Amino acid sequence: MDNIDKHILTELQINARLTNQELSDKVSLSPSPCLRRVRALEARGIISGYHAHVDQEQCGMPINVFVLVKLDKPTEDNMKQFEANIDQLEHVIECFLMTGNHDYLLRVVSESLKNYEHFIRKELTRLPNIAAIESSFAFGQVKQQTPLPIHN
């Protein structure tokens, strides 16, 4: 990946709705080579998709909970099963495999504390092989940065 590719990635992270002409102007390329580079970045999986950033509070999901999960036995099969189950839970919007005392860190969004309680009681605790769950509620978001710091 050269500096032009990095510049393309930076510009698309700032505004993925740029037309090819606008993008090519920003990165100082003519439109055809710019489009070829974007398609190559997509083909290589460096650009894996495009999305709209949605305000979760305005969509009725103001609660962010960070949930640490420890598995009873973190074997490969148990981890695969847990990950497949987590993938089906729509309120879990991020899941990270962790080092340390816990196996996973989940980011869960919820409409209310009551709905989060329902999620814990009826969904998460019913998954097999969970030894411990620890929840931390976010008071607010201090920083959110969408663009990766890709430097030229």
Side-chain angles (χ1 to χ4, degrees):
M1 198 165 40
D2 64 13
N3 286 340
I4 294 173
D5 288 339
K6 291 176 184 177
H7 195 182
I8 288 170
L9 291 173
T10 299
E11 293 298 335
L12 286 176
Q13 287 182 95
I14 293 168
N15 182 1
R17 295 186 72 180
L18 289 172
T19 65
N20 185 55
Q21 181 65 55
E22 292 167 332
L23 180 60
S24 65
D25 290 344
K26 286 183 178 288
V27 300
S28 301
L29 278 179
S30 59
S32 293
C34 184
L35 184 58
R36 279 195 297 273
R37 282 178 177 262
V38 170
R39 297 290 183 245
L41 291 166
E42 291 169 345
R44 291 171 49 200
I46 295 170
I47 296 174
S48 59
Y50 300 88
H51 74 278
H53 181 77
V54 177
D55 186 297
Q56 74 183 69
E57 283 193 37
Q58 290 190 44
C59 290
M61 305 292 272
I63 309 275
N64 280 297
V65 188
F66 295 92
V67 183
L68 290 165
V69 176
K70 182 171 183 56
L71 298 182
D72 186 37
K73 294 179 183 170
T75 64
E76 185 176 350
D77 287 340
N78 287 343
M79 292 169 76
K80 283 182 181 178
Q81 181 183 22
F82 177 80
E83 291 167 12
N85 288 330
I86 285 297
D87 194 46
Q88 300 303 309
L89 301 178
E90 70 177 351
H91 285 87
V92 177
I93 60 171
E94 293 181 273
C95 177
F96 298 91
L97 180 62
M98 303 297 287
T99 64
N101 294 330
H102 296 88
D103 299 305
Y104 292 93
L105 173 65
L106 313 177
R107 179 172 165 225
V108 178
V109 295
S110 183
E111 299 91 339
S112 66
L113 292 175
K114 189 66 145 173
N115 285 43
Y116 179 70
E117 178 187 0
H118 181 269
F119 167 78
I120 290 294
R121 288 180 182 261
K122 303 293 185 186
E123 296 182 53
L124 192 59
T125 57
R126 292 188 178 184
L127 298 183
N129 197 40
I130 293 180
I133 298 171
E134 185 179 321
S135 300
S136 295
F137 292 84
F139 286 134
Q141 189 172 51
V142 175
K143 179 179 180 180
Q144 180 178 27
Q145 178 175 316
T146 308
L148 289 173
I150 302 168
H151 300 289
N152 293 337

